[in-house]
Amino acid sequence: MADKNQEIGGIHFPFPFTPYSIQKDFMAVLYQVLEDGKIGIFESPTGTGKSLSLICGALSWLRDFEQKKRQEEAHLLKTGTAPSSDGKDQPPFILSSHQKTPDTLRPPGEPDWVTQFVQKKEERDLVDRLKMEQIRRKKREERLQQLRHNTQLKYAAKRERQEEEETERLLRLSRDILAAGTEAEPLEQLASGEEDLVLSEYESDEEKGAPNGLNEDEDDLEEEHVTKIYYCSRTHSQLAQFVHEVQRSPFGKDTRLVSLGSRQNLCINQDVKSLGSVQLINDRCMELQRSRHESKSQAEDQEPKRRRQAPRAACPFYGHRHLQLFQDQVLLEVKDIEQLVALGKEAGACPYYGSRFAIPAAQVVVLPYQMLLHTATRQAAGIRLQGQVVIIDEAHNLIDTITGIHSTEVSGSQLCQAHSQLLQYMERYRKRLKAKNLMYIKQILYLLEKFVAVLGGNIKQNPNTQSLSHTGTELKTINDFLFQSQIDNINLFKVRRYCEKSMVSRKLFGFTERYGAVLAPPREQPRLAGFQHFLQSLQPGVTEAPTAPVEEGEARVPRPASPLMHIEGFLEALTTANQDGRVMLSRQGSLSQSSLKFLLLNPAVPFAQVVKECRAVVIAGGTMQPVSDFREQLLACAGVETERLVEFSCGHVIPPDNILPLVICSGPSNQQLEFTYLKRELPQMIFQEPKRANQVEQVLAEYSRCIQCCGQAGGMVTGALLLSVVGGKMSEGINFSDDLGRCVVMVGLPYPNIKSPELQEKMAYLDQTLPRTPGQIPPGKALVENLCMKAVNQSIGRAIRHQKDFASIVLLDQRYARPPILAKLPAWIRDRVEVKATFGPAFAALRKFHHKKSGLS
């Protein structure tokens, strides 16, 4: 804490210690990008304090922005008029009120008094809105102050939760007793009119509420979305590390930060979480919310003759008062995902929904890539990007991430299974379904049948035993695929909307979960039995259809979600513009192994909405080279003008002699080193990257123990060798600092598979859409080189982790000596590269470097 307040260019940047000069430059440029509403590409090597620079730079800007906003608000509330200015420095709430849209443009020749009257009315409306916002903010601040200084509120809430749990336990016991008493004999058929004598499921006034979980205090909770910073990264561990950096920063005590995660990470309802599958957890959670808020009386009025159904359970952690307390405690101090879960268990409140309710008032929202970059997921989470700041960290793979999120694949087995399930569902409930439901179900059945037919299969036969006459891979435009499948006459937008609103896939999943215990007339039982055997045949290894509840041991295995849920994503992808995507038909030996895959070719389409709505977007990473991909494939195609783009790249903080990058062109026998696919040979490994992700920690622990044993008296171990695959489990997010990474050897250039149909189509798309610069290689070929070098840079960048660290980097292939390849290395490595044509001088240089750094003679 040598220097807590740095002044750079007249701006105060609180910092926990004296920052490096490159950190000062980083913060200054970042501040200006946010102030001017630009799009910034920031590269700061691993070990240079990038996260802290992002935190202190961005939150310093937000501090000054909020201060200016309060001053503008005070002036407006005092005078009743907006301050006169050119608009550049005015906060969004004033700018938005004076922006003229086509609907609000004044007609020519309008009298001045009319114009003045309209402007005065707009200003009065703005003053009224600001007063309401101030009231809400004041209430929130009062609640937070009470929590800070009155811990009795927390204990009172905890006691109340314990009382509710005891009540819930007694209710469950009562239900068990009733159920035990009725198991011996079936329920009697109630006489006409007798249904009205049966008590309905009881809900207290506190439990009843609006669908969003808020009731009479709804106005108090619906705050405006304050200007905030959305920070997103790729992995859960990266997000947790960022939150911990905020906690340790000078802003840790005063920042309202919310961490968002999936239901799988945040759910505290063990009955739901034990389902295992992400899709099943999501569906069960949403079903519980519907159970809480559905009106039983309305359903009975619509169908008075239908027998009263057993009441469905609601989630006990979704209550207004507990969510209110949870929301306030989230805003009170910075917490990571694990701390949110612990708080949710203590408060008896759902961390998943509680964290979302805290979004409007939060200053920083921390979330994974997918939640921000996927439009539907973003909207469902309540994220509003209009006028906000987005920081995308670890963004070296941003283009691939966007492409992957919006690409989807369905197998022939899934298509057949979904068709069979939906057909059985329709046949069983045909008399109860309305005409429109039947119409859309038949359309979905038709789509599934045609998808199977276009692969060369028959929907009526078992996909596992159904061989295809033609095999291979075929790529088609979206329109060509629709014509070939004979579904071009179906409005996929309407079908997609029906699936979303009717939740047919969730209904279908519930049906298939319960098919063994469905109450049906005797004549329908054989049909259901046949359905069971068919579903069984689609699941290899299953020899008997389950007709009883799942055993305790089996519950640990995640159950697969309904195949129709997965197919809905494919239907949505088919509504993409024809030029922006392709459909790949992969015909394998059997229908079950064949698949249809949608490929997104233009990631700029979904990203364009982000850059359009946001005030500023920052794309940051440790290794962003080559940045041409971001400029050309993502930002330019998303409509970002050159004037709005700012690039920042800095060197490393290590001394120049702490790194030795070498290009070795030949081996000890003077054989030229060129590790192409045909020439590669791998020696026997010592430690190697595991195939399963859950074994990574074990391998790393053994690797670390081996290194720690080096140098012990009488020990025979002199080091350890860890071989990993580029782009594999070891290539990102793992700290190889100090002795764990003294030398990184890149064997060959990790070019992607040039024969991949997806890559070939992407190359052709770029060659057609991007302009070709004279003297430069075609965009498609540049893509291949850039993919290769991004992988290289990400791998070798892990060698240096802090200012006093040192390492050698060996690029073992003569192709690294070529100028176009060298140019795409990070500047702090490229400027120090030594090319060794023969092995002897290279080995001598390595020996000298490590002897010097290790203090050996």
Side-chain angles (χ1 to χ4, degrees):
M1 298 287 181
D3 191 353
K4 296 185 179 181
N5 204 7
Q6 296 290 316
E7 183 167 335
I8 306 169
I11 302 169
H12 295 283
F13 292 97
F15 214 77
F17 50 82
T18 303
Y20 303 131
S21 60
I22 60 173
Q23 289 179 309
K24 294 181 180 180
D25 296 340
F26 188 110
M27 291 188 293
V29 176
L30 175 63
Y31 188 103
Q32 208 58 46
V33 165
L34 304 188
E35 180 69 12
D36 297 340
K38 304 280 189 178
I39 308 294
I41 301 177
F42 284 74
E43 181 182 49
S44 183
T46 303
T48 58
K50 169 172 59 69
S51 296
L52 202 54
S53 300
L54 283 170
I55 291 167
C56 296
L59 290 180
S60 294
W61 171 82
L62 186 61
R63 171 205 62 203
D64 295 346
F65 179 87
E66 290 178 342
Q67 183 178 357
K68 284 191 290 186
K69 180 178 178 179
R70 286 193 296 269
Q71 292 172 350
E72 297 286 356
E73 284 182 353
H75 183 277
L76 184 60
L77 291 173
K78 181 179 180 181
T79 64
T81 59
S84 58
S85 172
D86 59 1
K88 178 181 177 182
D89 297 325
Q90 291 186 356
F93 75 94
I94 291 182
L95 287 175
S96 60
S97 66
H98 292 287
Q99 287 175 346
K100 292 182 173 62
T101 64
D103 296 331
T104 60
L105 290 174
R106 310 295 179 220
E110 181 181 78
D112 292 341
W113 68 269
V114 175
T115 303
Q116 294 173 2
F117 174 81
V118 173
Q119 290 178 346
K120 290 291 184 183
K121 184 178 184 304
E122 289 177 348
E123 290 174 349
R124 286 196 300 271
D125 293 342
L126 181 58
V127 169
D128 292 340
R129 184 165 66 85
L130 289 177
K131 288 180 179 178
M132 291 300 297
E133 290 175 359
Q134 283 195 339
I135 292 173
R136 291 192 179 101
R137 281 203 301 270
K138 186 177 180 181
K139 287 184 177 180
R140 181 232 302 157
E141 290 168 359
E142 288 174 353
R143 290 198 308 269
L144 296 184
Q145 282 296 110
Q146 287 179 344
L147 283 175
R148 283 191 180 96
H149 303 293
N150 190 354
T151 56
Q152 291 181 355
L153 288 175
K154 297 181 182 179
Y155 293 117
K158 190 173 183 179
R159 285 196 305 271
E160 182 182 350
R161 175 60 189 165
Q162 291 172 343
E163 293 173 0
E164 290 181 357
E165 287 177 348
E166 178 63 17
T167 303
E168 180 64 23
R169 187 185 69 81
L170 294 175
L171 283 173
R172 283 200 302 268
L173 182 61
S174 301
R175 294 190 188 106
D176 292 342
I177 294 173
L178 289 173
T182 58
E183 278 181 358
E185 56 185 39
L187 290 173
E188 294 181 4
Q189 179 67 41
L190 297 177
S192 177
E194 194 178 358
E195 294 93 342
D196 296 334
L197 300 177
V198 181
L199 286 171
S200 302
E201 177 71 84
Y202 175 77
E203 277 190 335
S204 67
D205 291 337
E206 296 172 0
E207 292 172 330
K208 296 177 182 178
N212 61 356
L214 312 177
N215 50 25
E216 70 275 1
D217 296 324
E218 189 173 318
D219 290 338
D220 294 337
L221 292 174
E222 283 190 347
E223 296 186 63
E224 85 285 3
H225 279 246
V226 302
T227 300
K228 58 176 55 63
I229 297 166
Y230 286 99
Y231 172 90
C232 62
S233 192
R234 194 178 68 89
T235 66
H236 174 70
S237 61
Q238 290 167 346
L239 294 172
Q241 182 180 351
F242 177 83
V243 173
H244 296 158
E245 289 279 2
V246 175
Q247 291 172 331
R248 293 191 292 263
S249 76
F251 296 91
K253 299 293 184 183
D254 303 318
T255 300
R256 301 189 303 273
L257 181 147
V258 176
S259 295
L260 301 183
S262 65
R263 288 181 174 89
Q264 191 176 36
N265 288 328
L266 289 173
C267 179
I268 58 174
N269 187 327
Q270 289 303 316
D271 292 339
V272 177
K273 194 166 185 178
S274 62
L275 294 174
S277 164
V278 176
Q279 187 66 57
L280 294 184
I281 291 175
N282 290 341
D283 295 334
R284 180 57 178 156
C285 175
M286 296 178 70
E287 182 183 345
L288 289 176
Q289 305 320 312
R290 292 197 304 274
S291 299
R292 174 178 291 275
H293 304 299
E294 280 179 352
S295 171
K296 298 180 180 63
S297 60
Q298 181 179 359
E300 291 169 6
D301 292 341
Q302 291 175 349
E303 298 188 44
K305 295 183 180 179
R306 181 180 294 185
R307 268 190 72 180
R308 184 186 303 272
Q309 297 179 349
R312 293 184 293 178
C315 183
F317 303 102
Y318 193 84
H320 164 70
R321 282 188 295 178
H322 298 298
L323 286 174
Q324 170 73 79
L325 178 62
F326 180 90
Q327 171 186 338
D328 291 342
Q329 288 182 316
V330 167
L331 298 174
L332 188 64
E333 59 183 17
V334 176
K335 296 178 177 64
D336 62 16
I337 290 291
E338 284 74 18
Q339 292 167 328
L340 288 180
V341 171
L343 174 62
K345 291 178 179 178
E346 180 183 346
C350 173
Y352 178 79
Y353 284 104
S355 58
R356 275 154 178 73
F357 293 153
I359 290 176
Q363 295 169 305
V364 179
V365 178
V366 179
L367 68 167
Y369 274 178
Q370 292 81 351
M371 199 173 292
L372 182 117
L373 298 174
H374 191 267
T375 305
T377 306
R378 185 169 69 238
Q379 293 172 347
I383 296 169
R384 301 179 188 175
L385 297 182
Q386 191 66 47
Q388 309 291 15
V389 171
V390 164
I391 296 177
I392 304 174
D393 202 0
E394 302 297 335
H396 55 274
N397 61 349
L398 178 59
I399 295 176
D400 291 339
T401 299
I402 297 174
T403 302
I405 290 173
H406 295 86
S407 298
T408 182
E409 184 175 13
V410 293
S411 67
S413 179
Q414 289 174 320
L415 294 170
C416 289
Q417 191 174 2
H419 186 276
S420 178
Q421 290 177 357
L422 191 57
L423 184 62
Q424 293 286 337
Y425 178 88
M426 183 184 71
E427 290 178 353
R428 177 164 181 80
Y429 303 119
R430 181 185 294 272
K431 295 179 180 178
R432 297 172 178 262
L433 295 173
K434 301 297 183 183
K436 275 198 172 181
N437 278 323
L438 280 173
M439 179 191 75
Y440 279 112
I441 287 176
K442 288 181 178 179
Q443 283 192 350
I444 296 172
L445 287 170
Y446 177 80
L447 288 170
L448 296 173
E449 180 180 348
K450 291 301 180 181
F451 288 158
V452 170
V454 80
L455 284 172
N458 188 329
I459 197 69
K460 298 179 181 179
Q461 297 179 10
N462 190 322
N464 290 328
T465 60
Q466 194 173 160
S467 299
L468 302 182
S469 56
H470 300 286
T471 60
T473 301
E474 186 180 4
L475 275 159
K476 291 189 172 293
T477 65
I478 298 174
N479 287 346
D480 288 345
F481 173 77
L482 298 179
F483 281 117
Q484 183 177 344
S485 304
Q486 299 177 2
I487 60 173
D488 53 295
N489 59 330
I490 292 182
N491 190 327
L492 293 179
F493 290 92
K494 287 188 175 181
V495 174
R496 185 190 70 177
R497 191 157 49 247
Y498 170 78
C499 291
E500 178 185 350
K501 299 296 182 183
S502 68
M503 293 176 287
V504 61
S505 61
R506 298 187 183 96
K507 302 284 187 182
L508 185 60
F509 175 73
F511 170 71
T512 55
E513 280 284 280
R514 298 176 177 88
Y515 69 83
V518 169
L519 296 174
R523 64 179 179 275
E524 295 191 22
Q525 291 294 344
R527 262 195 312 189
L528 288 174
F531 173 50
Q532 294 174 11
H533 288 302
F534 182 78
L535 289 181
Q536 172 188 335
S537 71
L538 300 180
Q539 300 175 1
V542 178
T543 57
E544 188 173 330
T547 56
V550 179
E551 296 295 332
E552 185 177 351
E554 293 175 329
R556 299 189 190 99
V557 180
R559 288 175 287 167
S562 165
L564 187 58
M565 297 177 187
H566 195 63
I567 294 167
E568 285 178 3
F570 182 72
L571 293 176
E572 180 180 0
L574 291 180
T575 61
T576 305
N578 182 59
Q579 69 274 14
D580 294 329
R582 296 290 185 271
V583 179
M584 185 173 73
L585 292 77
S586 177
R587 300 182 179 94
Q588 305 299 324
S590 66
L591 176 60
S592 63
Q593 296 173 332
S594 303
S595 64
L596 299 173
K597 183 176 183 180
F598 173 80
L599 307 173
L600 180 68
L601 296 180
N602 187 3
V605 173
F607 195 66
Q609 195 66 25
V610 175
V611 296
K612 179 182 177 182
E613 294 183 3
C614 289
R615 173 193 178 97
V617 176
V618 173
I619 303 171
T623 51
M624 299 296 287
Q625 295 293 332
V627 297
S628 57
D629 284 357
F630 297 100
R631 286 196 306 262
E632 298 167 5
Q633 294 184 41
L634 199 60
L635 299 177
C637 293
V640 176
E641 298 178 352
T642 307
E643 295 77 19
R644 196 185 175 196
L645 185 61
V646 175
E647 294 182 21
F648 174 87
S649 180
C650 63
H652 216 293
V653 294
I654 59 171
D657 60 350
N658 274 26
I659 183 174
L660 177 65
L662 293 177
V663 174
I664 302 180
C665 301
S666 61
S669 62
N670 290 328
Q671 177 69 38
Q672 290 291 310
L673 298 178
E674 188 169 324
F675 291 90
T676 60
Y677 181 83
L678 296 176
K679 299 177 182 178
R680 66 177 182 172
E681 290 182 2
L682 294 179
Q684 183 178 0
M685 302 177 183
I686 301 173
F687 296 100
Q688 65 181 19
E689 178 177 299
K691 293 183 178 180
R692 297 183 180 178
N694 58 8
Q695 296 175 333
V696 170
E697 291 297 330
Q698 178 184 349
V699 173
L700 285 175
E702 294 174 359
Y703 172 72
S704 301
R705 274 197 301 271
C706 181
I707 292 175
Q708 290 169 0
C709 292
C710 296
Q712 292 183 354
M716 299 297 294
V717 179
T718 59
L721 179 66
L722 175 66
L723 280 87
S724 302
V725 179
V726 172
K729 301 174 185 64
M730 299 285 190
S731 65
E732 185 175 348
I734 298 176
N735 188 353
F736 290 104
S737 64
D738 300 320
D739 288 344
L740 294 182
R742 289 304 185 201
C743 180
V744 177
V745 181
M746 282 295 302
V747 181
L749 283 124
Y751 280 107
N753 181 10
I754 196 66
K755 295 183 179 180
S756 163
E758 296 99 321
L759 182 57
Q760 288 183 349
E761 194 67 21
K762 179 74 172 182
M763 292 170 63
Y765 173 80
L766 293 178
D767 287 338
Q768 293 171 5
T769 57
L770 295 184
R772 182 171 180 178
T773 306
Q776 299 292 327
I777 60 176
K781 189 175 180 181
L783 168 69
V784 176
E785 283 197 358
N786 290 346
L787 288 173
C788 170
M789 293 310 298
K790 282 182 184 293
V792 170
N793 294 340
Q794 183 62 22
S795 298
I796 64 179
R798 315 205 66 72
I800 302 294
R801 305 299 298 185
H802 55 83
Q803 188 179 23
K804 296 182 180 180
D805 205 356
F806 68 89
S808 58
I809 298 173
V810 178
L811 305 174
L812 210 59
D813 197 304
Q814 64 175 349
R815 291 172 292 176
Y816 281 107
R818 299 172 185 172
I821 299 296
L822 281 175
K824 293 179 180 179
L825 290 172
W828 64 278
I829 295 178
R830 180 180 65 238
D831 295 344
R832 304 170 188 177
V833 166
E834 298 179 19
V835 178
K836 303 295 184 181
T838 58
F839 184 79
F843 183 78
L846 284 170
R847 181 184 178 89
K848 179 180 179 182
F849 174 80
H850 285 284
H851 273 216
K852 179 181 178 181
K853 290 301 174 184
S854 302
L856 301 176
S857 56

